[in-house]
Amino acid sequence: MNLFKYLNLLLFGLLLINSSCQQAEKKISKPNVLVLLADDLGYGELGCYGQDVIATPVLDQLAKDGMRFTNFYAGAPVCSPSRAVLLTGISSGFNTIRGNKGYDVVNKRFDRIPLKKTDLTLGDMMKDAGYQTAFIGKWHVEDPNDLSTWAFARGFDYAIQEQWASPFEGIRYDEQMHWINAKEDSIYYYEKEWNCKDEFRTELAFNYLDEQLDKDKPFFLFMSYRAPHAHEYYIHDKELYADRGWPEVERRHAAKITLLDQQIGRLLEKLDIMGELDNTLILFTSDNGPTGEGEHDYEFFNSNGDLQGFKRDVYEGGIRVPTLAYWRGKIKAGSVSDFIGSGQDIMPTIAEAVGIQAPEQTDGVSILPVLKGKNAPERDFLNWEFHKNGRKPDAFRQAVRINNLKAVRYGVDSPIELYDLSKDISEANNIADQHPDVVSEVEQLFIEQRSENPHYPYGGMTNSK
């Protein structure tokens, strides 16, 4: 071989090696992202947040290995609007969805309201960034009868969505279908007696990771778990906590949380075996505060800690939620943050973590600097707007937090309450009369930090007769 050919071959080989290194570096530089969302998990229901009865060793360890937030909030105090905030990065006062049901101006009734087609989702953002995207579980921001509003049509390449609005005649509530990209279906509890629905969903995630995943591309996986939502009435684990002598509804509630913890442990172990865990940003949170539904007493396990209120309240107990973040080598193990964050911050945080611009629609802030132990972004206030089903005046609820001061009002014409969370985390001592200037500021924020929405008029009232 002459010298010229040898040099050309050597150069070609070096180019191949360099290209391979660049591809490997590119894959490593783009982290996988895993969002874990619990359903109705209260601030006080994990061991790392003070729970001393219900066992949650996996999530407690995740807190020890990563970061635990003490001032993180759901975007709303109930499922649909909270998920809408998380998925779009748009706060509740401007979001398309502001309650589990809104006023259907066509049919003149309260019904499910889907996200607008112009609302970009986390799936849209990550798909555009070159990620393979998957969603498994409860979507709850759709019109059940309009497939274009389902997860598979909103940026998720692979979506296994529970459709639990009872459109399936002859199928029990606990046997309803999980649709795969709205085409194929699997029926819960039909072929196997799973211990809980979260075990079923974790198996679906395993199937996705084993059979659908392109190992050469980063992935974004959104796991929308079920526990401890009250309406999963039946779980097949009859032994867990059976020796405690608790009422069955409370035993089942505690068991669902511990079983959720176990399933998250299985999923993390799976990612570790696959060699993906080291390069995965994990965010865990809840969609709202603890539930008091299904005859469950949210005070039985002190599910809201020292906070006032529960699901559907804009007091702290309804919106402050357990939130954990883990990213090996990026987030300091055992760190605790008191940064005041909320669901709309998830979108810009993930965007910055993967090196892209967040959609202009978001009004959240990236907390990536917080995760990395750097200076926190500035935030003047956080605010919430919630429309409870019905037409009573207090169905319209608002809250705003300015540093340690928290303002609440139930009903547009109701007086504004004010609390100092640094001294009164339980919101027991209303100090509004001592701070008229703050009350005036809050009242202005209540007016300005929202947009009109025909589906959620003030107090659930409409102009239609």
Side-chain angles (χ1 to χ4, degrees):
M1 181 183 299
N2 62 41
L3 181 61
F4 181 75
K5 287 185 176 180
Y6 173 78
L7 290 174
N8 275 339
L9 285 173
L10 179 61
L11 178 61
F12 181 69
L14 290 172
L15 288 173
L16 283 177
I17 292 171
N18 183 58
S19 176
S20 298
C21 289
Q22 286 181 342
Q23 289 180 1
E25 183 180 351
K26 183 178 180 181
K27 182 170 188 276
I28 292 172
S29 66
K30 290 283 187 180
N32 306 311
V33 179
L34 173 63
V35 173
L36 304 168
L37 183 64
D39 195 340
D40 295 357
L41 184 72
Y43 187 78
E45 292 190 304
L46 299 181
C48 54
Y49 283 89
Q51 178 58 230
D52 56 6
V53 176
I54 303 172
T56 55
V58 172
L59 290 168
D60 295 345
Q61 188 62 48
L62 196 67
K64 291 178 182 177
D65 294 337
M67 178 174 287
R68 178 173 65 88
F69 285 84
T70 60
N71 277 306
F72 205 89
Y73 293 88
V78 75
C79 304
S80 290
S82 176
R83 292 160 190 269
V85 170
L86 194 156
L87 283 163
T88 65
I90 303 172
S91 60
S92 56
F94 296 101
N95 206 284
T96 301
I97 302 176
R98 304 184 194 179
N100 270 356
K101 290 186 178 181
Y103 189 72
D104 183 336
V105 295
V106 175
N107 297 306
K108 298 186 183 305
R109 67 187 182 197
F110 283 91
D111 208 342
R112 296 274 291 280
I113 303 297
L115 290 174
K116 290 186 298 189
K117 303 296 174 64
T118 54
D119 291 334
L120 296 176
T121 71
L122 284 171
D124 294 319
M125 182 184 80
M126 297 300 277
K127 188 173 183 176
D128 289 345
Y131 276 71
Q132 47 196 328
T133 58
F135 179 93
I136 297 174
K138 176 179 173 181
W139 183 239
H140 214 244
V141 290
E142 84 285 359
D143 175 350
N145 300 307
D146 181 356
L147 296 183
S148 70
T149 67
W150 288 26
F152 84 100
R154 303 307 306 267
F156 289 94
D157 303 312
Y158 190 74
I160 305 180
Q161 179 178 333
E162 178 188 23
Q163 191 48 256
W164 57 286
S166 299
F168 313 115
E169 185 176 355
I171 298 177
R172 291 205 326 261
Y173 186 91
D174 59 314
E175 289 184 340
Q176 293 195 2
M177 295 183 181
H178 284 62
W179 293 78
I180 303 175
N181 285 3
K183 296 177 181 178
E184 305 169 26
D185 58 89
S186 303
I187 300 179
Y188 173 56
Y189 281 173
Y190 185 74
E191 297 177 349
K192 176 181 175 181
E193 290 191 348
W194 306 94
N195 274 340
C196 61
K197 195 171 288 187
D198 290 331
E199 182 184 15
F200 175 63
R201 293 182 180 181
T202 302
E203 287 294 326
L204 294 174
F206 288 176
N207 292 340
Y208 167 73
L209 293 170
D210 288 336
E211 299 173 12
Q212 304 292 329
L213 200 64
D214 181 348
K215 301 299 191 297
D216 294 325
K217 293 177 63 178
F219 65 81
F220 170 55
L221 175 58
F222 192 123
M223 291 297 298
S224 183
Y225 280 113
R226 182 64 162 174
H229 195 279
H231 296 298
E232 186 184 359
Y233 298 107
Y234 308 100
I235 59 174
H236 287 281
D237 190 320
K238 308 298 184 186
E239 304 301 321
L240 193 57
Y241 298 118
D243 60 339
R244 303 298 179 92
W246 299 333
E248 174 57 20
V249 66
E250 307 302 348
R251 183 205 72 81
R252 197 163 57 239
H253 181 86
K256 284 185 289 187
I257 294 173
T258 297
L259 291 170
L260 166 65
D261 187 77
Q262 292 175 3
Q263 298 313 311
I264 291 174
R266 292 179 63 220
L267 181 56
L268 298 184
E269 182 180 18
K270 174 72 172 179
L271 293 179
D272 199 17
I273 292 172
M274 293 173 61
E276 299 287 355
L277 186 60
D278 284 359
N279 192 38
T280 300
L281 168 61
I282 300 171
L283 299 171
F284 170 88
T285 192
S286 176
D287 62 349
N288 47 250
T291 179
E293 300 166 342
E295 299 182 354
H296 162 62
D297 179 2
Y298 71 92
E299 295 183 337
F300 190 88
F301 297 109
N302 198 27
S303 295
N304 58 353
D306 295 325
L307 309 179
Q308 179 185 173
F310 58 113
K311 181 179 180 179
R312 294 183 178 85
D313 278 315
V314 291
Y315 292 109
E316 293 291 284
I319 51 178
R320 193 187 295 208
V321 289
T323 302
L324 308 173
Y326 171 85
W327 194 0
R328 187 173 293 176
K330 301 288 196 305
I331 298 175
K332 183 181 178 181
S335 52
V336 178
S337 174
D338 61 359
F339 177 76
I340 303 170
S342 186
Q344 65 261 35
D345 299 336
I346 298 296
M347 176 177 272
T349 299
I350 292 176
E352 186 176 3
V354 304
I356 61 173
Q357 289 290 324
E360 292 184 2
Q361 69 188 26
T362 180
D363 50 13
V365 299
S366 171
I367 61 172
L368 188 66
V370 178
L371 299 181
K372 292 187 173 183
K374 300 179 181 178
N375 292 334
E378 293 184 4
R379 164 160 275 153
D380 295 329
F381 60 87
L382 269 180
N383 69 293
W384 297 264
E385 176 177 315
F386 170 58
H387 294 244
K388 189 177 179 181
N389 297 348
R391 299 174 179 268
K392 295 180 180 179
D394 70 351
F396 175 75
R397 300 174 177 182
Q398 290 176 296
V400 65
R401 179 166 176 177
I402 304 172
N403 297 321
N404 284 322
L405 293 178
K406 168 83 176 298
V408 175
R409 75 170 172 184
Y410 279 40
V412 68
D413 296 320
S414 299
I416 293 173
E417 304 166 22
L418 187 66
Y419 304 96
D420 184 349
L421 297 180
S422 67
K423 304 174 182 177
D424 179 25
I425 197 172
S426 301
E427 294 169 294
N429 182 28
N430 182 6
I431 58 172
D433 59 347
Q434 301 173 31
H435 300 276
D437 55 333
V438 177
V439 171
S440 295
E441 179 184 358
V442 166
E443 190 168 25
Q444 196 63 30
L445 288 173
F446 281 160
I447 294 170
E448 295 175 352
Q449 295 302 313
R450 67 179 309 274
S451 60
E452 293 298 324
N453 186 321
H455 303 298
Y456 305 96
Y458 278 137
M461 302 299 293
T462 73
N463 294 323
S464 303
K465 301 296 185 183

